[in-house]
C-alpha cells in the first residue's frame, strides 16, 4: 500500500503530472491491444498474414464432372506447395479463397451451367503449418438452346447465318459461342461492304432453356470514292495507295482490305497500318477510305566484332549501313563490309606482332518493289 503513495509523491514535481498521465495512457493502450489480439477475428487474421501463416499442401476440387481438376485449378489463385517448384510460396490467403469461389462459379455459368455454384470451401489442417483446401462444386444441369431468332436479315441471309454460327437449336448453350456467332455474322456483312453494320444479341432464360435473339442492322454497303493517306512524312503517299487492291467504285470488302493491309506491311516502310472510313453518302453510298500509317526507322547502321578459330585464326570486323527509302523513291539500299585482322610474330622480336589484313569482303545491293509501275521486285548487287 505504500508503493503507490511513494510513486504519487515522486511524480508531483514540475512536469511529473504529465509524465504520470502518459504512463497511465500507455498502460491503457497496451491493455486494449492485448484485448484485440484475443478477439476471434483478429486472431484469424494474424494466423493467415503473420509469420506463422499456414501453407497450402493440397488443393482438391470435388463434385466436378464437366471439367477436369487441371482446368479448374488453372483459373484459381490458391496454389499448393509444389515439389518441382520449391521456391514458390503457397500461403493460405482468405482473399484468394473469396476470389477462387467467385471465379469457379462464373466459369461454370459462362459455359452454360446457369445454376452452378461453389457450395463450400473446407480447410483441413494437416498440422500446425500445413492445410488442405477443398472446393465443393454443385454443377447443376447444362442449359440448352431452345431457339435462335433473328431480326433484320432476309430469309436467304438467315439461312446462311445459321449455317456458319456455332449455336443451334437443341444444342448446349455457351456464352462464348454467342460471342463467336456475333463475330461470324459481322464478318458476313463486312465482306459485302457493310462497314457500319450493327449486330446485337439478347438472351432470355426460362428454366434450363435459353432463347437467343440476334438483332441485325446491316446499313448500306459502302463504295470506295477515294483513298486518303495520313502519317506519310518521309515516304510518299503513293507508296501506300498503290498497295491497296481496291479501285474507286469497288465495294469495301473486308477480305480485300485485309489483303491491302498486308501488302502495305510487306513494303517494309511501315510498322503500323490502320483503316477507317469517312461519312457514307446516303444517296450514292460512297465513302473515303482513310489509311493511317506509322513509318519505320528508314536508315540504320550496324557494327560487330567477332573471332574465327578455323584454319586461319583472325579477328573480324563487320559493318552495315542501310536506307529503306533511298532518294525518297522507295529504293532499299544495303551496304556491308567484313574485314579480317591477323597477327604475325617477327622472328627476331618474338614479343612484337604485326597486324595484317585477312579476309575481306564488301557487298552492296539496291532493291525496288515496283518497276515501271508494276508490282515486280527488282534487285541489283
Amino acid at each position: 500500500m505504500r508503493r503507490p503513495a511513494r510513486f504519487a509523491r515522486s511524480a508531483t514535481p514540475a512536469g511529473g503530472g504529465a509524465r504520470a498521465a502518459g504512463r497511465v495512457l500507455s498502460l491503457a493502450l497496451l491493455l486494449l491491444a492485448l484485448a484485440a489480439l484475443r478477439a476471434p477475428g483478429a486472431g484469424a487474421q494474424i494466423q493467415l498474414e503473420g509469420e506463422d501463416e499456414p501453407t497450402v499442401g493440397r488443393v482438391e476440387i470435388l463434385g466436378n464432372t464437366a471439367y477436369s481438376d487441371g482446368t479448374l485449378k488453372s483459373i484459381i489463385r490458391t496454389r499448393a506447395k509444389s515439389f518441382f517448384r520449391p521456391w514458390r510460396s503457397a500461403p493460405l490467403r482468405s482473399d484468394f479463397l473469396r476470389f477462387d469461389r467467385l471465379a469457379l462459379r462464373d466459369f461454370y455459368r459462362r459455359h452454360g451451367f446457369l445454376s452452378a455454384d461453389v457450395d463450400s470451401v473446407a480447410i483441413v489442417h494437416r498440422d500446425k503449418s500445413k492445410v488442405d483446401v477443398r472446393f465443393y462444386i454443385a454443377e447443376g444441369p447444362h442449359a440448352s438452346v431452345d431457339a435462335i431468332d433473328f431480326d433484320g436479315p432476309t430469309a436467304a441471309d438467315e439461312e446462311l447465318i445459321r449455317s456458319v454460327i456455332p449455336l443451334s437449336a437443341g444444342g448446349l448453350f455457351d456464352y462464348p459461342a454467342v460471342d463467336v456467332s456475333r463475330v461470324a455474322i459481322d464478318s458476313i456483312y463486312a465482306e459485302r461492304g457493310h462497314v457500319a453494320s450493327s449486330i446485337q444479341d439478347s438472351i432470355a432464360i426460362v428454366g434450363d432453356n435459353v432463347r437467343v435473339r440476334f438483332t441485325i442492322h446491316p446499313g448500306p454497303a459502302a463504295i470506295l470514292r477515294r483513298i486518303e493517306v495520313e502519317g506519310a512524312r518521309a515516304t510518299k503517299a503513293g507508296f501506300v495507295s498503290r498497295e491497296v487492291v481496291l479501285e474507286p467504285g469497288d465495294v469495301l470488302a473486308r477480305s480485300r482490305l485485309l489483303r491491302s493491309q498486308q501488302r502495305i506491311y510487306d513494303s517494309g516502310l511501315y510498322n503500323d497500318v490502320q483503316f477507317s472510313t469517312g461519312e457514307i453518302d446516303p444517296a450514292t453510298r460512297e465513302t473515303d477510305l482513310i489509311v493511317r500509317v506509322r513509318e519505320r526507322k528508314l536508315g540504320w547502321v550496324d557494327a560487330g566484332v567477332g573471332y574465327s578459330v578455323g584454319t586461319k585464326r583472325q579477328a573480324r570486323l563487320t559493318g552495315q549501313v542501310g536506307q529503306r527509302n533511298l532518294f525518297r523513291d522507295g529504293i532499299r539500299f544495303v551496304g556491308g563490309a567484313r574485314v579480317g585482322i591477323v597477327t604475325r610474330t617477327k622472328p627476331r622480336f618474338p614479343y612484337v606482332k604485326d597486324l595484317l589484313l585477312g579476309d575481306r569482303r564488301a557487298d552492296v545491293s539496291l532493291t525496288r518493289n515496283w518497276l515501271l509501275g508494276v508490282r515486280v521486285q527488282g534487285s541489283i548487287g
Side-chain angles (χ1 to χ4, degrees):
M1 295 299 294
R2 294 181 179 180
R3 289 183 180 178
R6 286 198 300 268
F7 178 80
R9 284 197 300 270
S10 63
T12 53
R19 289 193 297 270
R23 293 190 184 97
V24 173
L25 180 60
S26 299
L27 181 60
L29 292 176
L30 179 60
L31 293 175
L32 289 175
L34 293 175
L37 290 176
R38 292 174 176 268
Q45 183 178 4
I46 290 177
Q47 183 181 5
L48 292 178
E49 300 181 0
E51 296 181 355
D52 297 333
E53 61 184 4
T55 301
V56 178
R58 183 186 304 168
V59 176
E60 299 178 355
I61 299 180
L62 305 176
N64 56 308
T65 57
Y67 299 99
S68 64
D69 292 355
T71 300
L72 299 179
K73 288 180 181 180
S74 65
I75 65 176
I76 63 177
R77 293 183 179 179
T78 301
R79 293 285 187 269
K81 193 68 176 178
S82 174
F83 174 79
F84 300 100
R85 296 179 181 178
W87 60 86
R88 188 178 70 180
S89 60
L92 177 64
R93 294 181 51 172
S94 58
D95 56 338
F96 280 10
L97 296 178
R98 288 191 295 269
F99 171 85
D100 296 341
R101 189 168 186 172
L102 293 176
L104 291 172
R105 186 197 66 182
D106 294 344
F107 175 81
Y108 268 96
R109 294 187 178 182
R110 179 168 175 78
H111 287 81
F113 295 86
L114 304 181
S115 60
D117 202 356
V118 180
D119 285 343
S120 61
V121 180
I123 300 175
V124 181
H125 289 265
R126 290 188 183 182
D127 50 43
K128 294 182 179 180
S129 61
K130 187 171 292 186
V131 298
D132 293 343
V133 178
R134 297 173 182 172
F135 295 91
Y136 292 90
I137 296 177
E139 290 182 341
H142 196 160
S144 60
V145 179
D146 187 29
I148 302 176
D149 302 322
F150 295 93
D151 290 335
T154 63
D157 289 347
E158 180 177 334
E159 183 179 357
L160 174 62
I161 292 171
R162 290 183 184 274
S163 65
V164 298
I165 62 176
L167 288 174
S168 61
L172 296 178
F173 174 74
D174 192 37
Y175 276 105
V178 177
D179 298 334
V180 174
S181 300
R182 188 174 60 252
V183 173
I185 297 171
D186 180 70
S187 297
I188 292 175
Y189 286 95
E191 185 60 25
R192 301 176 181 177
H194 298 273
V195 295
S197 62
S198 172
I199 294 94
Q200 299 176 346
D201 60 81
S202 60
I203 299 171
I205 301 175
V206 181
D208 295 332
N209 297 325
V210 177
R211 196 177 188 95
V212 183
R213 178 179 296 274
F214 292 99
T215 304
I216 303 172
H217 301 284
I223 297 175
L224 177 63
R225 179 168 48 211
R226 63 174 174 268
I227 300 173
E228 296 183 2
V229 180
E230 298 180 357
R233 297 177 177 84
T235 59
K236 299 178 182 179
F239 295 168
V240 177
S241 59
R242 69 187 182 186
E243 302 293 350
V244 178
V245 295
L246 290 166
E247 299 292 338
D250 291 344
V251 174
L252 295 180
R254 174 173 290 181
S255 61
R256 302 181 72 179
L257 291 175
L258 293 176
R259 187 151 60 98
S260 302
Q261 185 183 45
Q262 187 59 50
R263 285 172 52 135
I264 297 173
Y265 277 122
D266 292 342
S267 68
L269 300 174
Y270 311 98
N271 56 17
D272 188 39
V273 182
Q274 299 293 333
F275 287 161
S276 62
T277 57
E279 294 291 335
I280 301 176
D281 191 326
T284 63
R285 298 184 296 151
E286 292 183 338
T287 184
D288 297 335
L289 178 63
I290 304 171
V291 186
R292 295 182 177 87
V293 297
R294 185 172 61 194
E295 297 171 338
R296 296 182 60 183
K297 184 179 180 181
L298 299 178
W300 74 91
V301 177
D302 290 332
V305 179
Y307 186 77
S308 175
V309 294
T311 57
K312 183 186 294 186
R313 296 187 178 184
Q314 57 182 339
R316 288 183 176 179
L317 304 178
T318 60
Q320 186 184 81
V321 295
Q323 172 59 239
R324 295 184 174 90
N325 190 29
L326 188 64
F327 306 129
R328 292 180 59 87
D329 200 29
I331 300 175
R332 179 185 177 94
F333 165 79
V334 179
R338 183 180 65 191
V339 178
I341 300 176
V342 297
T343 60
R344 180 178 299 173
T345 304
K346 295 182 178 181
R348 294 184 181 182
F349 305 98
Y351 299 103
V352 179
K353 295 184 178 181
D354 290 335
L355 297 180
L356 303 176
L357 293 178
D359 296 337
R360 299 176 297 278
R361 180 181 176 86
D363 298 287
V364 176
S365 66
L366 297 173
T367 305
R368 189 172 186 179
N369 292 331
W370 284 73
L371 294 177
L372 302 176
V374 182
R375 193 172 185 266
V376 176
Q377 187 183 81
S379 181
I380 184 174

